[in-house]
Amino acid sequence: MTSTEPAPLFHHPDRNLALELVRATEAAAIRAVPWIGKGDKNAADKAAVDAMRLFLGTVNFDGVVVIGEGEKDEAPMLYNGEQVGNGRGPACDIAVDPIDGTSLTAAGRGHALSVIAVSERGTMLDASSVFYMDKFVTGPEGFGTVDIRRPVGENLRALAEAKGKDIGEVRVAVLDRPRHEELIREIRAAGAGTRLILDGDVAGGINAARHDTRIDACIGIGGSPEGITTACAVKALGGFMQGKLAPRDDAERARAEAAGLDCDKILELDDMVSGDNHFFVATGVTDGALLLGVKKNGPYISTESIVLRSKSGTIRRVAAEHLAQKWLDPDFL
């Protein structure tokens, strides 16, 4: 059977989409720079949101925000359900975090990122009705070795054996929060060491999944939106991740059930983002272990970004220099 209708230009997220998405994370990171160390995380976030949204409007895709700024940032833009892109390319789900680490940015600390993840339409879990998720991220050695339901010490000893390490060499990234006091004690009691994260556990999860870092695992309760975003990156890296939604009270559990979420289910990677055709891009806002932050070098602004593509299993680093004069125009695209 033939048709006179022209074939669509795109069926799935295209490899060139990644470089367009990098423009949006670069823009968000650059616009946040004037607010680094100024103590106003909301102003930093707003500057990044405005820039990211403006650039996303030029990208050739039909995106729906599944993981957006949402309730935690009280954001009027890049909210869950918002349509982004110019509508002329592939239909995609998108997760955005214009600044993962707004408190880090406001304090002038390292490890803040601007982040976007994209997958085919209908493949990204909408966990927005539950604020927190318990997560366990490792490299590929975690498959068949780690299970979030088992005691932490048992998991870490098994992971150490799978990686050919002594347990004393294992390093675990954990958000430095009162809720993790017992978790930290268990990690140290097992003989492993901790790397406490002040904020921004997306970078912690990525470093745990990569083969060339000193972080062997990232464990603990963090934001559920960040969990889904991290899952996109971990899947592209071939890493291991499990999660479990962690409602704060009965009302939140009820909202989750109304949204069709099972708070008792152990979420595997395919539950968080299904398929194998998605991108993760991030640009450094401030210097960190994953990426360098934005810097002004004479007449240029330099940025460093990472681009992950699950379909090809490719990791790319993008170093860019931007003529600073262009960024003096608030409407510059």
Side-chain angles (χ1 to χ4, degrees), residues 3 15 20 30-31 39 44 58 75 80 119 125 135 142 155 158 198 205 211-212 222 224 243 268 275 278-279 281 317:
S3 172
R15 65 173 62 93
E20 291 297 300
I30 290 170
R31 289 294 194 210
T58 72
N80 291 11
S119 66
L125 178 67
K135 312 161 196 174
N155 277 323
L198 291 173
H211 69 283
D212 57 349
S224 58
E268 307 291 347
H278 44 268
F279 297 100
V281 300
R317 287 188 175 271

Side-chain angles (χ1 to χ4, degrees), residues 154-168:
E154 184 180 327
N155 277 323
L156 293 179
R157 286 188 289 272
L159 180 63
E161 183 177 354
K163 298 188 78 167
K165 287 186 171 186
D166 184 89
I167 186 64

Side-chain angles (χ1 to χ4, degrees), residues 135-139 159 204-206 208-209 216-219 230 234 239-242:
K135 312 161 196 174
F136 203 126
V137 185
T138 75
L159 180 63
I206 293 171
D216 298 289
C218 184
I219 308 175
T230 301
V234 171
F240 166 87
M241 180 175 179
Q242 286 180 326

Side-chain angles (χ1 to χ4, degrees), residues 37-297:
K38 299 296 178 61
D40 190 341
K41 69 176 187 177
N42 291 332
D45 195 54
K46 183 181 185 307
V49 168
D50 290 346
M52 180 175 282
R53 186 171 184 267
L54 195 63
F55 273 73
L56 283 175
T58 72
V59 177
N60 287 319
F61 77 132
D62 176 15
V64 172
V65 177
V66 174
I67 303 295
E69 287 288 271
E71 175 188 345
K72 71 182 176 73
D73 294 305
E74 299 179 353
M77 294 189 296
L78 295 180
Y79 54 84
N80 291 11
E82 182 175 358
Q83 299 218 232
V84 293
N86 63 18
R88 293 198 294 269
C92 299
D93 290 343
I94 180 169
V96 299
D97 200 342
I99 304 180
D100 179 43
T102 52
S103 296
L104 299 176
T105 303
R109 295 191 176 106
H111 307 288
L113 304 174
S114 178
V115 172
I116 294 175
V118 169
S119 66
E120 294 180 66
R121 178 69 52 79
T123 60
M124 194 178 290
L125 178 67
D126 179 0
S128 58
S129 55
V130 181
F131 195 85
Y132 285 121
M133 177 189 290
D134 196 3
K135 312 161 196 174
F136 203 126
V137 185
T138 75
E141 299 86 358
F143 288 103
T145 302
V146 168
D147 190 317
I148 198 172
R149 287 162 287 207
R150 293 207 300 261
V152 170
E154 184 180 327
N155 277 323
L156 293 179
R157 286 188 289 272
L159 180 63
E161 183 177 354
K163 298 188 78 167
K165 287 186 171 186
D166 184 89
I167 186 64
E169 298 177 284
V170 171
R171 296 294 176 265
V172 182
V174 184
L175 278 171
D176 190 6
R177 300 288 188 272
R179 63 179 177 267
H180 287 151
E181 288 178 359
E182 179 60 28
L183 173 62
I184 291 167
R185 279 195 292 270
E186 290 179 10
I187 292 168
R188 292 171 177 170
T194 56
R195 291 292 183 268
L196 299 183
I197 306 170
L198 291 173
D199 203 354
D201 63 341
V202 173
I206 293 171
N207 281 328
R210 290 170 61 204
H211 69 283
D212 57 349
T213 74
R214 283 291 293 113
I215 301 299
D216 298 289
C218 184
I219 308 175
I221 295 173
S224 58
E226 288 83 356
I228 304 304
T229 304
T230 301
C232 288
V234 171
K235 202 165 188 185
L237 289 165
F240 166 87
M241 180 175 179
Q242 286 180 326
K244 185 174 183 289
L245 296 173
R248 292 169 289 183
D249 52 37
D250 290 341
E252 192 171 56
R253 179 177 286 272
R255 286 198 299 274
E257 291 173 354
L261 298 172
D262 182 354
C263 294
D264 297 317
K265 179 179 180 179
I266 301 303
L267 300 171
E268 307 291 347
L269 273 172
D270 280 344
D271 297 314
M272 291 181 267
V273 56
S274 59
D276 189 31
N277 192 21
H278 44 268
F279 297 100
F280 174 93
V281 300
T283 299
V285 178
T286 57
D287 287 347
L290 181 63
L291 293 166
L292 295 175
V294 181
K295 289 181 175 61
K296 177 88 158 47
N297 300 310

